[in-house]
Amino acid sequence: MSTVESAPISSSQADAGTGVANDVVSDANGSAKEAPSSVASRPFEADVQRVLRLVIDSLYSQREVFVRELISNACDALDKRRVDALTEGERYRDAGAPEIRVHFDTKARTLSIADNGIGMDAIELAENLGRIAHSGTRMLSEELAARNASEVGAGAESPTAELIGRFGVGFYSVFLVAKAVEVLSRPARDRQAHIWRSDGLSGYSIEEARRVEPGTTVTLALKDDAGFEPADLRAAILRFADALPHPILLSQDEEAPTQLNRAEALWRKSPREVNAETHAAFFANLSPGAGAPLHTLHVHIEGTQVFYALVYIPERGQSLFGGEPKSRMRLYAQRVPVIEACEALLPPWLRFCVGIVDSEDLPLNVSRELLQDERVVTRIRTQLTKQLVSGLKKLAQDDPDRFAQVWAAHGTVIKEGFHLDAGYAKELESLLHYETLLSEKPISLASYVEAMSEQQPAIYYALGDNAHLLRSRPELEAFKEAGQDVLLATCPIDPWVMAALPRFDDKPLKSAFDADAAPLVDNDVPAGDDAWIKGLRLALQDNVAGVEYSKRLRQAPACLKRDEDALPAHVRRALEAMGQRVPETKATLEVNATHPLVAKLRACAAENAEPETLKSWGEVLLGLATLSEGELPADPAAFARVLASQLAGS
Ligand code: ADP
Ligand code: MG
């Protein structure tokens, strides 16, 4: 005897218990067996129909999501079977190995997805499939109602799609492509199977049926205009289900089924079980053509948040202002990929990382918009960032050469963390590596400090755009002579790094270009202000703040002393190139009393030479000092003329 149940698909959990579920319970109790068959289909309540319509309309361009939803339901059912079998192993004695079979019948235009998982009885069919979007429905309809009806009515597609994306469509996504759906299911504990049928418009019915094996088969009769072909099915499975841990077998018409996915989620394995080759292959899959990863981080976090992550550091760096993607991290929810390039998973200064995060706590329907205020994701991001930074620290200790490669490729981007995420500055400072005045191999701040003498009061750095050029800067001559090292900070972010890092290991960081930074050289610096210095100051007053004898120069005739808070010349240039107006600040011209050129000027002054001659030599000195900073004199052609005429005349 067969029992037929028919009821409207109810709009909320509360409603669900009143209709078909109760009737089936009484059916199970052996009473009122015939009654349900007389229940005719009832129409949906108005708002349910509207919601369903909206779901279908707004998700139409992504209609393959139904594949993701059905396959993930099948996977859940297989997982539940695994749990059930722990205590009720006997039920599954004859059941085959867990698998999902997908079949496309091109003649009948039907598509079926079958699993041999936990299955459902009549009550479960009614309860689980009898509600639209479950608890989300009511909220969704309330929010839709709250919106201006004209906005929705006017086909404001994007906000509506956004809204719908925030609520699971789950099983109901089948109606994106199906004109009718049947769910044939049998739980392992029961021999009786049932079939649930619906056209997604009027309601559903449940009827007794036969299924030899426990499990569930969902069969879709495709709409005539579904526009969904076997190739779309295949592509969707590969896209959504490649990493799912159960085999997915696909067949078409008379063809034998073939397994499409690899059926293993690498990131969920124990790190010890995954070797470097497997990682390399997986990385190649994520980032084709990028070679082998420089470093791999395999994370499993338990606690308030459960997630698995695989993060690879690629060989090739990203440029600071380049057009690279903002993220190459994929987000999975319970083994199902949900967001392709998920910026929220890592801070921007780790955007070079390639990988996967698989959360146990996020719903499958999580959308990019929702992620913004999803606490789960914030926690994942914090945890993962910590793990990555400490992983890099460990790499720097265990394998300095490998770390050097990572730093060379990605150090610049990591350094952005200093001004983007001040909270990590403490952690990040131990990753900093710089070439130095005395070492071409980048060293850490800790090694710098280790090599410092007791007397050295600070850690010195020099900002510039090229280490080689910095090494020949006049301001660093005294450091070289004293064997006192200087960090050569040559990346565009370094001014911000240094600003964010006043101290390291209790030692202050200071610019080596500050006039009082240099170790003193025993130049014979004449005491007091010679009259000629006063004369030179007067002659150059339009261009410099002052002229004085240098205490740090050895070989160069002159250099410029800038205010401590003045921007270094190359930074000023970069800012100006970006269209910013940077106020002009005058520097002080420092002259080397032991240099023959300076001696010559003094002699000129002593001989009461023309003020013009003094001014011309002063301009030569100023121009040379500017050039040795790697900058052009304010008027290069005028400088060339004055230099040439002074050389000719001397
Ligand atoms: P969700 O998966 O988020 O719970 P769905 O609409 O996708 O929402 O599915 C509703 C419920 O239907 C599931 O929670 C599950 O209990 C049941 N279900 C769906 N498909 C299957 C299946 N293949 N086997 C067993 N139960 C299923
Ligand atoms: Mg589901």
Side-chain angles (χ1 to χ4, degrees):
M1 178 213 292
S2 101
T3 306
V4 178
E5 284 283 340
S6 220
I9 298 177
S10 52
S11 64
S12 72
Q13 193 143 359
D15 296 344
T18 60
V20 74
N22 286 347
D23 290 348
V24 176
V25 171
S26 55
D27 177 27
N29 290 342
S31 61
K33 276 199 172 164
E34 296 304 320
S37 59
S38 63
V39 178
S41 293
R42 275 191 276 149
F44 284 129
E45 293 157 38
D47 68 326
V48 173
Q49 221 161 20
R50 188 161 64 97
V51 168
L52 199 54
R53 195 69 252 153
L54 275 167
V55 167
I56 290 172
D57 288 347
S58 61
L59 283 178
Y60 188 72
S61 64
Q62 310 162 45
R63 56 195 177 285
E64 75 279 5
V65 299
F66 85 89
V67 177
R68 175 184 83 186
E69 296 292 339
L70 291 186
I71 287 185
S72 91
N73 283 351
C75 270
D76 291 347
L78 292 172
D79 290 340
K80 285 179 195 155
R81 162 185 158 172
R82 191 159 53 197
V83 174
D84 192 39
L86 293 176
T87 50
E88 310 289 343
E90 190 54 28
R91 287 179 186 167
Y92 299 92
R93 200 164 36 90
D94 301 325
E99 63 180 21
I100 300 164
R101 287 175 176 267
V102 184
H103 183 75
F104 200 125
D105 185 328
T106 56
K107 284 174 212 93
R109 294 291 294 166
T110 61
L111 195 161
S112 67
I113 295 183
D115 64 71
N116 51 1
I118 188 99
M120 287 175 277
D121 62 20
I123 299 174
E124 289 163 331
L125 278 170
E127 288 203 329
N128 296 338
L129 308 181
R131 264 175 264 137
I132 295 175
H134 305 277
S135 53
T137 318
R138 182 170 291 161
M139 284 198 297
L140 176 56
S141 32
E142 276 167 11
E143 209 160 319
L144 279 172
R147 283 185 178 224
N148 189 331
S150 66
E151 182 203 343
V152 175
E157 256 180 53
S158 134
T160 312
E162 218 178 274
L163 193 57
I164 284 164
R166 287 164 51 189
F167 299 93
V169 288
F171 173 77
Y172 277 83
S173 57
V174 291
F175 295 111
L176 290 166
V177 294
K179 57 186 176 196
V181 177
E182 291 180 358
V183 181
L184 171 63
S185 195
R186 190 198 129 185
R189 61 175 180 275
D190 194 349
R191 293 215 58 82
Q192 183 61 59
H194 288 86
I195 191 156
W196 179 101
R197 292 195 179 92
S198 175
D199 61 2
L201 293 172
S202 50
Y204 64 88
S205 65
I206 293 176
E207 194 172 338
E208 285 185 352
R210 256 179 61 77
R211 196 181 196 278
V212 180
E213 284 190 323
T216 304
T217 306
V218 180
T219 306
L220 285 61
L222 292 171
K223 289 180 193 166
D224 303 330
D225 59 351
F228 197 80
E229 298 304 322
D232 301 316
L233 177 62
R234 194 188 170 83
I237 294 175
L238 281 173
R239 190 152 141 244
F240 291 133
D242 189 37
L244 291 177
H246 302 291
I248 299 168
L249 298 126
L250 176 65
S251 59
Q252 180 184 328
D253 303 330
E254 315 308 324
E255 255 173 45
T258 50
Q259 184 171 333
L260 272 193
N261 63 336
R262 272 170 304 191
E264 58 171 16
L266 214 54
W267 53 92
R268 287 187 178 239
K269 293 183 140 189
S270 142
R272 260 171 283 114
E273 283 175 52
V274 188
N275 61 22
E277 271 134 52
T278 312
H279 277 306
F282 190 65
F283 174 68
N285 209 334
L286 292 175
S287 200
L294 280 180
H295 188 54
T296 300
L297 203 86
H298 193 155
V299 183
H300 175 195
I301 301 286
E302 290 281 353
T304 44
Q305 232 70 66
V306 180
F307 71 91
Y308 302 79
L310 258 182
V311 182
Y312 298 105
I313 298 183
E315 223 168 357
R316 208 170 55 82
Q318 296 202 322
S319 63
L320 211 32
F321 310 107
E324 278 95 352
K326 290 197 190 113
S327 169
R328 291 193 280 171
M329 293 294 297
R330 287 187 192 174
L331 178 63
Y332 282 60
Q334 301 152 50
R335 296 197 175 99
V336 180
V338 288
I339 296 180
E340 185 66 27
C342 185
E343 285 161 40
L345 289 174
L346 284 174
W349 47 275
L350 288 172
R351 64 180 175 275
F352 53 87
C353 292
V354 175
I356 276 172
V357 169
D358 184 0
S359 162
E360 285 291 59
D361 307 296
L362 283 170
L364 276 177
N365 60 307
V366 70
S367 72
R368 198 174 284 280
E369 293 73 32
L370 181 62
L371 278 186
Q372 304 303 328
D373 37 48
E374 187 56 78
R375 284 220 307 281
V376 174
V377 177
T378 313
R379 294 209 189 104
I380 290 178
R381 173 187 169 120
T382 308
Q383 288 265 20
L384 197 58
T385 305
K386 261 194 221 152
Q387 294 280 332
L388 264 162
V389 173
S390 63
L392 286 171
K393 264 162 104 170
K394 194 166 145 31
L395 182 69
Q397 272 161 17
D398 300 350
D399 190 347
D401 291 342
R402 184 48 72 102
F403 178 81
Q405 282 177 278
V406 172
W407 189 250
H410 309 295
T412 304
V413 170
I414 294 175
K415 283 178 191 173
E416 290 177 24
F418 279 93
H419 69 107
L420 292 178
D421 257 332
Y424 285 101
K426 201 87 214 115
E427 302 283 307
L428 290 179
E429 64 183 27
S430 52
L431 299 182
L432 289 173
H433 278 63
Y434 287 103
E435 264 192 60
T436 69
L437 186 62
L438 309 176
S439 154
E440 282 192 19
K441 202 176 136 184
I443 63 165
S444 68
L445 268 59
S447 344
Y448 179 98
V449 168
E450 216 168 284
M452 273 168 71
S453 78
E454 295 257 316
Q455 291 80 33
Q456 189 179 328
I459 298 169
Y460 294 109
Y461 63 86
L463 295 171
D465 35 26
N466 175 315
H468 177 69
L469 298 182
L470 276 175
R471 285 197 184 91
S472 68
R473 286 282 290 263
E475 298 93 327
L476 302 186
E477 288 175 351
F479 284 90
K480 217 181 291 174
E481 195 165 282
Q484 194 166 304
D485 215 352
V486 175
L487 305 170
L488 304 181
T490 54
C491 99
I493 299 286
D494 279 326
W496 285 272
V497 175
M498 295 308 168
L501 195 71
R503 303 179 84 78
F504 174 84
D505 193 10
D506 245 15
K507 314 267 185 310
L509 273 90
K510 282 215 151 95
S511 168
F513 293 150
D514 291 352
D516 60 353
L520 298 185
V521 291
D522 48 359
N523 265 353
D524 246 344
V525 180
D529 247 10
D530 287 10
W532 83 273
I533 291 254
K534 284 199 189 116
L536 196 58
R537 195 179 295 150
L538 203 65
L540 295 179
Q541 64 181 350
D542 288 346
N543 305 311
V544 299
V547 179
E548 61 188 38
Y549 281 123
S550 174
K551 300 192 183 78
R552 55 178 164 168
L553 293 178
R554 206 51 173 163
Q555 283 152 356
C559 69
L560 292 171
K561 181 173 95 179
R562 299 188 179 278
D563 272 355
E564 240 174 82
D565 46 357
L567 288 173
H570 75 287
V571 175
R572 152 195 291 276
R573 206 177 343 103
L575 289 174
E576 281 172 350
M578 281 158 36
Q580 292 197 33
R581 286 272 335 126
V582 186
E584 213 41 71
T585 53
K586 285 183 194 159
T588 296
L589 179 66
E590 279 187 30
V591 298
N592 178 356
T594 66
H595 196 280
L597 182 55
V598 176
K600 185 168 186 155
L601 255 91
R602 274 166 93 185
C604 270
E607 287 157 17
N608 281 320
E610 291 286 309
E612 271 313 304
T613 314
L614 195 64
K615 182 164 194 249
S616 297
W617 280 121
E619 280 168 1
V620 168
L621 272 179
L622 177 60
L624 294 174
T626 310
L627 277 176
S628 59
E629 283 193 336
E631 298 302 302
L632 286 178
D635 183 344
F639 171 70
R641 275 194 301 275
V642 75
L643 179 62
S645 84
Q646 291 309 105
L647 287 176
S650 66

